[in-house]
């Protein structure tokens, strides 16, 4: 039926001459054999190393028979919730259920359980009492030790204990999964596999655990949030593969969870080899009747050129999952993959993206990182670029030039997101010039996130004047090229550190630019980010200094309404927010005011088309119809491939911040109805 894919039934396995499989991979996603999906990479890597793998996608978690398709595997079960944390997949930041799931057939929601990796693990364990279970993927990786769970508002145990699994394979999984497989194949008992980097295991004795840092116990952290903050700070400082120490977390009844240091990064040759494997590059044919798997459309003609990120945004889990050391594929590897597009009848000549967590990162921040690791107490870009940071876009430009020179390629887009402070640190305008000339279609997305330096400092982002300098350089380059292209700024409300004062500052910024996003991204406390730790504990785990955090739904609504002050339905919230912030001067009829007084609301509502639902728009009042057409990404975590999530953000659409919006999607009306770039499924990030 589908020999290009791994078997999904024992019948297909027998057609290959197999009487059993070595591993059964259980995934919360539909089966898509494409290198943007972690399940595809892990299973193909195992196949390349001689192991027979069967695939069970989205089993019925209420029926034990659903995980017995292949019977008991010879070596073990591999379990992943999928390309996203299942809770982020299911719920918005306001904890409302999502209506669709891009990783399921036909986009249908509800085909996986909440906390899918733990549920699948327990389902397997009830049937196969002693068979090894290895959990991996973004959900397991970010929940490998005790962690705050936003949806239950509780500190949860390591997923290793809640899932019934034997080992967690965390972070970039290619090395660790092969080492685990080889150890099992050599006859080692699963409980003796305690020595592999990039893994977490449980034990009742620390007699053979050496060179370890003991974290606060789970009971201590449950009793004292500051103990959790201290623990997370230690974990964060030990997330580097060269300098990271073994970590030990104690649980009741004499159980210890031990985290080994992260796996070493792949070399360029090794990464090229991973992407050269024989992927079918499509969803399994069994989903045709349901309409396919929507997520593939976002990545089918895109190229993943790098992994890892030294940007270290506080709200992003990349440092905790992929690490700070950037690895990239060779130009030859990327061109080779792009040539496969040319033979696809659906390819229209457009490569949708060439990027990763951050598109313009192509190498480690400095050569020292490749031998000594990233500095544990120092950031590469924050608060200012490190003096040892090597800023060089030549390799990325060489890749882009090679791709756009391919016969049959009309346009090569860069949509993963560009780190503007890194681009600005390059004194040579060549990258920005070629980006504007060849790789932008009306809009370039960047992520200033906020305008208040106080909030930006908590976020680990550069000061607002850095973004302003980039905005001016981008405008100048486009003017030189005779192009009308705008910036798409991503802004976030209710992040730790943001009071109503900072939210008003952001609203005034939007007013002065004539910019009102139709939808706003609220801060989403996803597992194992610095910002989530702040949200739960009230302190910055890096400094243990208190950080104000908006938590109530009402305060979040006030902050969000301020950014969308022109929307008539937000009027009462905006007035309340301005009153509480002591900024009644912004309630009135002057050009600087955000809203009219409450008594004038009825008349203003009837006049909304002329006044855009608010008072004067300030220096850059938006034209009629000038709101953005996009909506924020479903994945606030970012690039979340099962084994190697990069948390590149990919929120759809926002209006330009370089000048007032015109036409739909914030693009100039002369460019037609341009829509904001779609997020790459499994490849979203916040950078």
């Amino acid at each position: 039926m589908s020999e290009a894919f791994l078997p999904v039934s024992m019948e297909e396995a027998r057609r290959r001459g197999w009487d059993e499989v070595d591993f059964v991979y259980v995934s919360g996603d539909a089966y898509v054999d494409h290198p943007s999906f972690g399940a595809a990479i892990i299973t193909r890597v195992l196949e390349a190393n001689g192991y027979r793998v069967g695939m069970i996608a989205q089993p019925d978690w209420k029926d034990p028979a659903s995980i017995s398709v292949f019977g008991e595997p010879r070596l073990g079960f591999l379990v992943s919730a999928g390309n996203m944390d299942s809770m982020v997949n299911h719920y918005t930041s306001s904890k409302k259920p999502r209506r669709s799931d891009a990783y399921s057939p036909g986009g249908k929601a509800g085909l996986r359980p909440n906390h899918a990796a733990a549920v699948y693990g327990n389902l397997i364990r009830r049937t196969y009492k002693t068979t090894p279970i290895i959990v991996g993927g973004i959900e397991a990786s970010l929940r490998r030790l005790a962690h705050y769970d936003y949806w239950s508002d509780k500190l949860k145990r390591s997923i290793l204990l809640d899932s019934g699994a034997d080992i967690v394979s965390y972070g970039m999984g290619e090395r660790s999964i092969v080492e685990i497989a080889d150890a099992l194949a050599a006859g080692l008992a699963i409980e003796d596999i305690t020595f592999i980097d990039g893994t977490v295991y449980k034990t009742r004795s620390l007699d053979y655990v050496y060179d370890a840092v003991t974290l606060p116990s789970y009971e201590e952290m449950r009793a004292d949030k500051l103990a959790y903050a201290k623990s997370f700070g230690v974990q964060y400082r030990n997330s580097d593969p060269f300098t990271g120490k073994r970590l030990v977390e104690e649980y009741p009844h004499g159980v210890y969870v031990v985290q080994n240091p992260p796996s070493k990064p792949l070399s360029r040759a090794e990464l090229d080899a991973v992407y050269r494997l024989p992927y079918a590059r499509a969803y399994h044919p069994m989903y045709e009747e349901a309409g396919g798997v929507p997520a593939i459309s976002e990545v089918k003609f895109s190229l993943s050129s790098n992994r890892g990120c030294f940007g270290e945004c506080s709200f992003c889990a990349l440092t905790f999952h992929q690490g700070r050391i950037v690895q990239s594929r060779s130009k030859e590897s990327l061109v080779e993959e792009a040539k496969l597009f040319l033979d696809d009848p659906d390819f229209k000549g457009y490569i949708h993206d060439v990027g990763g967590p951050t598109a313009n990162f192509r190498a480690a921040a400095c050569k020292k990182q490749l031998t000594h690791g990233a500095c544990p107490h120092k950031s590469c870009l924050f608060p200012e670029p490190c003096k040892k940071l090597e800023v060089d876009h030549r390799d990325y430009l060489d890749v882009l030039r090679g791709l756009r020179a391919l016969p049959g390629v009309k346009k090569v887009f860069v949509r993963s997101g560009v780190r503007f402070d890194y681009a600005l640190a390059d004194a040579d305008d060549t990258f920005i010039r070629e980006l504007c000339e060849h790789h932008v279609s009306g809009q370039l997305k960047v992520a200033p996130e906020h305008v208040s330096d106080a909030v930006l400092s908590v976020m680990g982002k550069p000061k607002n004047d850095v973004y302003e300098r980039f905005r001016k350089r981008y405008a100048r380059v486009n003017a030189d090229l005779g192009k009308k292209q705008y910036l798409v700024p991503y802004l976030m409300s209710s992040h730790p550190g943001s009071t109503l004062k900072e939210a008003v500052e952001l609203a005034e910024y939007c007013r002065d630019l004539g910019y009102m996003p139709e939808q706003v991204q609220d801060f989403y406390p996803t597992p194992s980010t610095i910002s989530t730790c702040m949200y739960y504990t009230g302190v910055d785990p890096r400094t243990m200094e208190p950080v104000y955090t908006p938590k109530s739904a009402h305060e979040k609504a006030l902050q969000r309404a301020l950014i969308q002050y022109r929307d008539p339905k937000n009027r009462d919230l905006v007035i309340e927010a301005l009153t509480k912030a002591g900024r009644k001067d912004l309630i009135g009829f002057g050009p600087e005011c955000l809203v009219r007084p409450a008594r004038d609301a009825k008349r203003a509502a009837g006049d909304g088309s002329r006044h855009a639902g608010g008072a004067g728009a300030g220096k850059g009042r938006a034209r009629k119809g000038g709101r953005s057409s996009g909506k924020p990404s479903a994945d606030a975590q970012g690039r979340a491939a099962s084994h190697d999530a990069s948390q590149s953000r990919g929120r759809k659409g926002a209006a330009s911040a370089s000048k007032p919006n015109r036409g739909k999607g914030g693009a100039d009306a002369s460019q037609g109805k341009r829509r904001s770039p779609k997020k790459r499924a499994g490849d979203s990030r916040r950078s």
Side-chain angles (χ1 to χ4, degrees):
M1 171 186 170
S2 49
E3 296 304 323
F5 294 82
L6 296 173
V8 297
S9 69
M10 201 60 214
E11 179 185 353
E12 290 187 12
R14 290 192 184 97
R15 285 209 297 265
R16 291 177 172 233
W18 303 353
D19 55 3
E20 65 177 350
V21 296
D22 297 318
F23 290 100
V24 172
Y25 193 108
V26 178
S27 174
D29 288 342
Y31 180 24
V32 181
D33 191 38
H34 186 282
S36 287
F37 292 73
I41 286 185
I42 292 301
T43 54
R44 289 299 186 182
V45 165
L46 284 170
E47 179 188 48
N49 281 271
Y51 294 101
R52 299 167 296 181
V53 184
M55 175 67 69
I56 299 178
Q58 298 186 319
D60 180 354
W61 67 93
K62 299 172 185 176
D63 180 8
S66 66
I67 49 87
S68 298
V69 172
F70 296 94
E72 183 177 17
R74 184 174 72 92
L75 298 177
F77 283 93
L78 309 174
V79 177
S80 169
N83 262 26
M84 292 170 62
D85 185 284
S86 58
M87 300 304 288
V88 177
N89 180 280
H90 286 169
Y91 301 100
T92 67
S93 59
S94 58
K95 301 183 182 180
K96 294 179 180 178
R98 300 191 192 276
R99 297 179 181 177
S100 62
D101 178 357
Y103 297 95
S104 292
K108 185 178 179 180
L111 297 184
R112 82 188 82 208
N114 288 345
H115 301 290
V119 172
Y120 293 150
N122 282 292
L123 181 70
I124 295 166
R125 184 58 76 215
R126 285 197 295 272
T127 302
Y128 300 99
K129 305 297 184 183
T130 60
T131 308
I133 299 175
I134 300 97
V135 291
I138 184 69
E139 181 165 291
S141 183
L142 299 184
R143 297 172 182 267
R144 59 189 185 257
L145 294 175
H147 57 280
Y148 171 67
D149 181 74
Y150 170 64
W151 302 272
S152 62
D153 193 26
K154 293 179 181 178
L155 190 73
K156 292 181 72 73
R157 303 190 305 171
S158 164
I159 195 172
L160 190 60
L161 304 181
D162 286 342
S163 65
D166 299 287
I167 294 179
V168 173
S169 169
Y170 73 88
M172 318 307 285
E174 294 97 342
R175 287 197 194 283
S176 62
I177 201 63
V178 172
E179 290 185 50
I180 292 169
D182 288 348
L184 289 170
L188 268 69
I190 189 69
E191 58 268 21
D192 292 332
I193 303 177
T194 62
F195 50 86
I196 296 173
D197 286 348
T199 64
V200 179
Y201 65 93
K202 56 193 173 186
T203 182
R204 290 190 174 274
S205 172
L206 298 179
D207 290 346
Y208 299 101
V209 178
Y210 60 94
D211 191 28
V213 175
T214 301
L215 302 172
S217 71
Y218 177 67
E219 292 300 305
E220 287 179 90
M221 292 186 284
R222 285 184 65 190
D224 182 2
K225 291 181 179 180
L226 292 183
Y228 174 68
K230 291 176 182 176
S231 175
F232 189 83
V234 174
Q235 293 173 46
Y236 190 81
R237 290 189 293 274
N238 285 278
S239 57
D240 182 85
F242 292 95
T243 62
K245 302 293 186 181
R246 226 170 304 281
L247 304 178
V248 174
E249 195 171 69
E250 183 182 359
Y251 286 84
H253 310 298
V255 175
Y256 299 92
V257 170
V258 182
Q259 174 184 299
N260 288 320
S263 292
K264 297 294 189 293
L266 298 184
S267 68
R268 177 165 284 189
E270 289 171 325
L271 196 57
D272 285 354
V274 167
Y275 282 86
R276 200 178 296 121
L277 297 173
Y279 305 99
R281 311 187 67 81
Y283 55 76
H284 195 280
M286 62 184 169
Y287 303 126
E288 285 291 355
E289 188 175 340
V293 180
I296 187 65
S297 63
E298 305 285 358
V299 297
K300 188 174 182 181
F301 300 122
S302 295
L303 298 166
S304 294
S305 69
N306 58 45
R307 58 168 60 165
C309 181
F310 51 79
E312 284 193 278
C313 300
S314 301
F315 46 77
C316 177
L318 269 172
T319 300
F320 211 68
H321 183 62
Q322 283 197 357
R324 289 168 58 189
I325 300 175
V326 172
Q327 305 132 72
S328 62
R329 296 166 61 189
S330 68
K331 172 185 175 182
E332 293 73 21
S333 173
L334 291 161
V335 169
E336 180 184 342
E337 185 177 354
K339 287 179 179 178
L340 300 176
F341 299 167
L342 305 178
D343 298 326
D344 193 306
D346 294 329
F347 183 64
K348 307 303 180 185
Y350 299 96
I351 295 177
H352 298 155
D353 190 24
V354 184
T358 300
N360 56 326
F361 288 174
R362 284 278 297 166
C366 65
K367 290 183 176 63
K368 167 185 169 292
Q369 288 187 345
L370 297 176
T371 54
H372 294 83
C375 301
H377 299 282
K378 190 176 180 181
S379 176
C380 302
L381 282 169
F382 176 81
E384 295 178 349
C386 175
K387 292 181 180 179
K388 294 184 179 180
L389 176 68
E390 298 176 12
V391 182
D392 191 346
H393 287 94
R394 289 176 295 179
D395 183 48
Y396 190 39
L397 284 170
D398 187 43
V399 168
L400 295 173
R401 289 166 183 163
L403 292 170
R404 67 178 189 249
L406 286 174
V409 172
K410 299 175 183 177
K411 188 86 171 180
V412 179
F413 294 106
V414 174
R415 287 174 170 164
S416 291
V418 169
R419 185 77 188 210
F420 61 84
D421 49 348
Y422 184 76
L424 195 63
D426 192 341
D428 187 347
D429 271 352
T430 303
F431 170 67
I432 296 178
R433 180 171 294 275
E434 289 199 25
L435 183 71
C436 294
E437 186 173 7
H438 298 289
H439 306 290
V440 176
S441 180
Q443 299 175 338
L444 174 68
K445 59 182 180 179
V446 289
E449 304 293 357
H450 214 281
V451 299
S452 165
D453 287 345
V455 179
L456 291 169
S457 177
V458 176
M459 289 178 163
K461 300 287 288 186
K463 292 182 177 180
N464 187 51
D465 77 284
V466 177
Y467 173 68
E468 288 299 309
R469 284 191 283 123
F470 175 78
R471 187 168 67 85
K472 290 173 183 176
R473 183 185 286 192
Y474 179 79
R476 174 177 58 78
V477 169
N478 275 292
D480 291 346
L481 293 170
K483 288 179 174 286
K484 293 182 178 180
Q485 298 187 134
Y486 310 113
L487 292 177
V488 178
Y490 294 144
L491 301 174
M492 185 188 297
S493 67
S494 304
H495 187 276
S498 177
T499 68
L500 285 175
K501 174 181 176 292
E502 285 78 27
V504 171
E505 189 177 342
L506 184 55
E508 290 185 286
Y509 180 82
C510 293
R511 174 203 64 200
D512 293 343
L513 290 176
Y515 161 44
M516 190 192 90
E518 278 193 354
Q519 298 190 38
V520 175
Q521 177 67 55
D522 279 344
F523 166 64
Y524 200 161
T526 56
S528 297
T529 71
I530 292 174
S531 299
T532 298
C533 185
M534 293 180 198
Y535 177 90
Y536 175 57
T537 66
V539 300
D540 187 329
R542 295 165 295 193
T543 64
M544 297 304 291
E545 293 294 323
V547 178
Y548 174 79
T549 302
K551 282 194 172 184
S552 74
H554 186 65
E555 184 174 359
K556 290 181 181 180
L558 292 177
Q559 293 208 20
R560 184 169 57 250
L562 280 167
I563 303 177
Q564 297 176 304
Y565 67 88
R566 289 197 184 112
D567 191 330
K569 69 177 181 289
N570 287 336
R571 182 181 304 278
D572 290 344
L573 288 171
V574 174
I575 291 174
E576 180 185 349
L578 292 173
T579 301
K580 287 184 174 180
R583 294 301 306 274
K584 286 187 177 181
D585 58 299
L586 296 177
I587 305 171
F589 301 93
E592 301 300 315
C593 293
L594 300 182
V595 292
R596 293 179 172 183
R599 64 178 179 273
D600 199 55
K602 185 175 181 180
R603 187 174 63 140
D607 216 17
S609 62
R610 185 161 59 90
H611 292 288
K619 301 175 185 176
R621 179 179 298 169
R623 297 190 177 189
K624 182 178 179 181
R627 295 175 181 173
S628 90
S629 61
K631 57 184 177 181
S633 165
D635 182 5
Q637 299 188 107
R639 193 176 274 269
S642 168
H643 77 303
D644 62 348
S646 11
Q647 291 220 24
S648 160
R649 189 163 75 173
R651 276 190 314 219
K652 296 183 189 176
S656 164
S658 60
K659 64 183 295 179
N661 302 328
R662 303 176 186 173
K664 295 186 177 180
D668 188 275
S670 66
Q671 297 179 31
K673 298 180 179 179
R674 295 193 183 276
R675 296 185 179 274
S676 302
K678 295 181 178 180
K679 82 178 181 69
R680 296 182 59 193
D683 285 337
S684 22
R685 78 146 191 116
R686 299 202 67 116
S687 178

